[in-house]
Amino acid sequence: MTAPPPFHRIRVADVITETPDAHSLVLAVPPALAAAFAYRPGQYLTVRVPDDGGPVARCYSLSSSPHTGEQPKITIKRVRDGQASNWICDHVRPGSTLDLAPPAGTFTPGSLDDDLLLLAGGSGITPVMAIIKSVLAGGTGRLALVYANRDADSVIFRAELAALAGDRLEVVHWLDSERGAPTAAALAGAVQAYGNREAFVCGPEPFVVVAQQALQKAGVPAERVRVERFELEAVAGDGPDATAEVTLDGQTHLLPWPAGKRLLDVIVAAGLNPPFSCRQGQCGACALRLLDGEVELVNNEVLEEEDFADGYILACQALPRSEHVSVTYY
Ligand code: FES
């Protein structure tokens, strides 16, 4: 058993709107807690937030750098139906207090003098931003960043990154709206020139999977790839914890499916290789057939009544609504 993290009540000094969906909270850590809240770039804080079923704890990465003199800052992106992130974005104002546990996590560079390759998807930029600012301010390393987002409006820290880019920081923005969701082959091309560097990857699970495949293609050994996963936040789930019976490539797998998790994340997290693309319920690439049980789709902009009649659902949007769900990709 791990001891529960010790929470401290800390005041929020400021709230910065980074994008319409992402807020940074600047924290006024009192001197008495400065040592407990000392951190390394890439670490996260645990926040306790109220929830219908009692308080829940969520981890949010620090986007500030301990090497620049700025106050500690965590960045939170709103998630559709994500109770914790939405509660923070809706309720936390300058002067609010939050229950926070001290920094933790191992997604930190061994030396700020090393050259690094950084791959971030969406709000996965948060710990990567801390690493970038720390290396530029406190070390001599050179950095290459590939940063994937849905579209230009969802790019967090766009202006800050533009200001930091230069001899020691190359920034490549990958916008799905212009280039489609990144594939392993295309990302491999973008990172090929940096195959000799240690790589840091952070983003939602499907992005992490594609980035890992790309790095493998680019010749980066697995032991030189550091990963921080940002899972889709659990959504308001009154559904049951379930078991998913998933048939893919002729093999059937029994997977634990926690309430509030998307089926695609469950399948990807089990190390399987299902088809998907947009991850937003818009393209249909993740469609599969429901053989038994019930699911709810969080979003659906592609399937029609006749598709439902044929049993099709979207893995990227499916939540369990019965304790056993059987699905097949044929
Ligand atoms: Fe596009 Fe699921 S991946 S709808």
Side-chain angles (χ1 to χ4, degrees), residues 110-134:
S111 163
L112 301 181
D113 297 330
D114 289 345
D115 295 345
L116 304 175
L117 170 59
L118 309 166
L119 290 96
S123 55
I125 191 65
T126 305
V128 170
M129 194 67 192
I131 292 171
I132 289 172
K133 289 189 285 190
S134 298

Side-chain angles (χ1 to χ4, degrees), residues 264 275-287 299-303 313-317:
L264 180 64
F276 64 88
S277 180
C278 73
R279 312 185 291 264
Q280 315 280 336
Q282 295 167 344
C283 74
C286 66
N299 184 40
N300 166 42
E301 298 175 36
V302 59
L303 296 183
I313 61 167
L314 299 174
C316 74
Q317 299 297 319

Side-chain angles (χ1 to χ4, degrees), residues 41 97 152 167 251:
T97 55
D167 288 350
Q251 292 200 324

